[in-house]
Amino acid sequence: MADLVFFAGTMDCGKSTLALQMDHNRRARGHRGVLFCKFDRAGQEMISSRLGLQRPAVEVGDDMDFWAYLVDLAVGGTVVQYLICDEAQFYTAAQVEQLARIVDEMDIDVYAFGITADFRTQLFPGSKRLVELADRVQVLQVEALCWCGRRATHNARLVDGEMVTEGEQVIVGDVDDFEARASLPDSGDTANHSGTVEYEVLCRRHHMRRMTSARAQQAAAQVLPFDEVRP
């Protein structure tokens, strides 16, 4: 029996790496699958990981009909045994329902990978529907870390260095490997924002306090060393 599995995690926890590994393992055993992507850091029609791995993929637009796409492949004689769906948080609720239908009626495994909640700690529509419909939801075991060393559970958006909790849900950037920060946005709805947009993963405690790594460093710099304190 086929399954709809949602692999969930924060930024920088290896979702795309796992997606590419699962595809590699199945292709090595002669299985045939289709890879789907949306707003990947490497550009359109690509799934890429921060480790340097990448594979061509079908770009998912808001008007994409997964059911019709798979029917067309079947009519053309193409056998599909699994789907890899990266950045699934950006899919519409209707598209997630199409994926569930593919599992149930075509007996094709669907492996979806995505972030659960946005920078406002609110569920993405695609993630919400996946949690509601998936046969299994698996939290990735590779833990992204907050600057304090705790497990990172929240994604923070920074505009010109300041953490914000309001704005468009989708402004896509990338997370730097070493500082858990993000580059300039390369896709998404940027019409209603200005300034440099970055992202950082934080633990719940520091997300609630809006204490980013930059703010923590600034606060530490303002504390005098004990040997400089005068009576």
Side-chain angles (χ1 to χ4, degrees), residues 165-231:
T165 57
E166 296 181 355
E168 294 293 328
Q169 187 175 53
V170 181
I171 300 177
V172 180
D174 188 19
V175 178
D176 186 86
D177 290 321
F178 301 100
E179 298 180 357
R181 297 292 292 277
S183 65
L184 292 174
D186 53 18
S187 53
D189 184 355
T190 59
N192 297 317
H193 90 279
S194 59
T196 300
V197 177
E198 300 175 310
Y199 288 93
E200 182 174 354
V201 289
L202 300 173
C203 64
R204 182 182 63 244
R205 176 184 182 184
H206 288 124
H207 191 279
M208 297 285 287
R209 295 181 179 183
R210 301 193 182 189
M211 181 63 72
T212 63
S213 59
R215 284 194 61 193
Q217 291 172 5
Q218 292 170 2
Q222 294 172 1
V223 178
L224 290 174
F226 288 113
D227 61 356
E228 293 185 18
V229 178
R230 297 292 183 266

Side-chain angles (χ1 to χ4, degrees), residues 4 65 99 113 131 165 167 171 182 195 205:
L4 171 59
D65 187 324
L99 294 175
F113 301 79
V131 170
T165 57
I171 300 177
R205 176 184 182 184

Side-chain angles (χ1 to χ4, degrees), residues 34 40 46 67 73 95 114 121 126 148 151 153 162 186 215 231:
V34 181
D40 188 86
M46 188 71 64
W67 177 265
L73 290 180
Q95 287 171 332
T121 70
C148 69
R151 178 185 176 188
T153 54
E162 294 296 323
D186 53 18
R215 284 194 61 193

Side-chain angles (χ1 to χ4, degrees), residues 135-156:
D135 296 294
R136 299 196 313 277
V137 177
Q138 294 188 201
V139 178
L140 297 192
Q141 294 181 357
V142 177
E143 296 182 352
L145 298 179
C146 177
W147 60 264
C148 69
R150 293 185 179 91
R151 178 185 176 188
T153 54
H154 291 66
N155 306 300

Side-chain angles (χ1 to χ4, degrees), residues 95-170:
Q95 287 171 332
V96 174
E97 291 168 7
Q98 293 163 13
L99 294 175
R101 184 185 177 193
I102 288 169
V103 172
D104 293 340
E105 300 187 24
M106 295 187 182
D107 200 30
I108 294 174
D109 285 310
V110 174
Y111 306 107
F113 301 79
I115 296 169
T116 307
D118 63 17
F119 71 104
R120 301 168 299 183
T121 70
Q122 297 177 10
L123 293 174
F124 283 98
S127 298
K128 179 178 183 295
R129 200 66 180 126
L130 278 164
V131 170
E132 293 167 344
L133 295 181
D135 296 294
R136 299 196 313 277
V137 177
Q138 294 188 201
V139 178
L140 297 192
Q141 294 181 357
V142 177
E143 296 182 352
L145 298 179
C146 177
W147 60 264
C148 69
R150 293 185 179 91
R151 178 185 176 188
T153 54
H154 291 66
N155 306 300
R157 178 184 293 173
L158 287 70
V159 177
D160 290 334
E162 294 296 323
M163 181 175 163
V164 298
T165 57
E166 296 181 355
E168 294 293 328
Q169 187 175 53
V170 181

